Amino acid sequence: MTRNADVPGWLQAVLITAAVVLASWALLVVLARTLPPGLARDLARFLPDCLTTARRLRRDPRVPRRAKLAIAFAALWVLSPIDLIPEFLPVIGPLDDVVVVALALRYAGRRVPRQVLLDAWPGDPALLLRLLGRPR
């Protein structure tokens, strides 16, 4: 049995983990584009839409600093390889990411004018309105 001395074991583990996370994100993007309209498509599009919204809100001068910090925290949480639920578990892997992003969007939704959020959201506005709850 030969051992690959060029790449340390910890680095191989990090590279494999990163590849699995990137593959799961790619699968979400493919599903978001190919699934027929409905709940499954909305769920597949949720994280990509949230990342797009976070990027847009971060650049918007109408968004207060605290809301930008909450959005940045959620984006870092999603991008972090450390999760409460491992990403490679089918279906439930991204669940902790979805919960953190949903909570950050609800927090920002209470501090940012609703129209600013709707303008930044690339997906179905009904999904965002459902997430945000009642208008302030």
Side-chain angles (χ1 to χ4, degrees):
M1 183 161 135
T2 61
R3 185 171 172 204
N4 188 352
D6 295 351
V7 181
W10 66 268
L11 183 57
Q12 288 178 354
V14 168
L15 292 173
I16 290 169
T17 302
V20 168
V21 169
L22 289 175
S24 68
W25 289 351
L27 178 63
L28 279 177
V29 170
V30 168
L31 288 174
R33 291 185 179 172
T34 59
L35 285 172
L39 180 62
R41 183 177 184 161
D42 288 344
L43 288 174
R45 290 185 63 133
F46 183 74
L47 279 180
D49 286 350
C50 286
L51 290 174
T52 300
T53 302
R55 190 182 71 245
R56 291 176 181 173
L57 290 176
R58 188 181 50 122
R59 296 179 182 155
D60 196 319
R62 300 172 290 179
V63 177
R65 178 176 287 158
R66 283 187 174 196
K68 286 183 181 183
L69 288 174
I71 292 165
F73 173 78
L76 287 174
W77 183 275
V78 170
L79 295 174
S80 170
I82 301 169
D83 281 326
L84 296 176
I85 303 172
E87 294 291 331
F88 60 84
L89 294 175
V91 181
I92 66 167
L95 187 61
D96 63 329
D97 295 339
V98 170
V99 169
V100 168
V101 168
L103 290 174
L105 279 177
R106 281 187 69 97
Y107 177 83
R110 299 182 196 291
R111 282 147 186 81
V112 177
R114 186 144 302 205
Q115 191 57 47
V116 173
L117 284 172
L118 289 171
D119 291 344
W121 183 257
D124 180 14
L127 180 63
L128 180 63
L129 292 173
R130 215 173 322 142
L131 173 71
L132 296 174
R134 287 181 286 165
R136 320 177 234 148

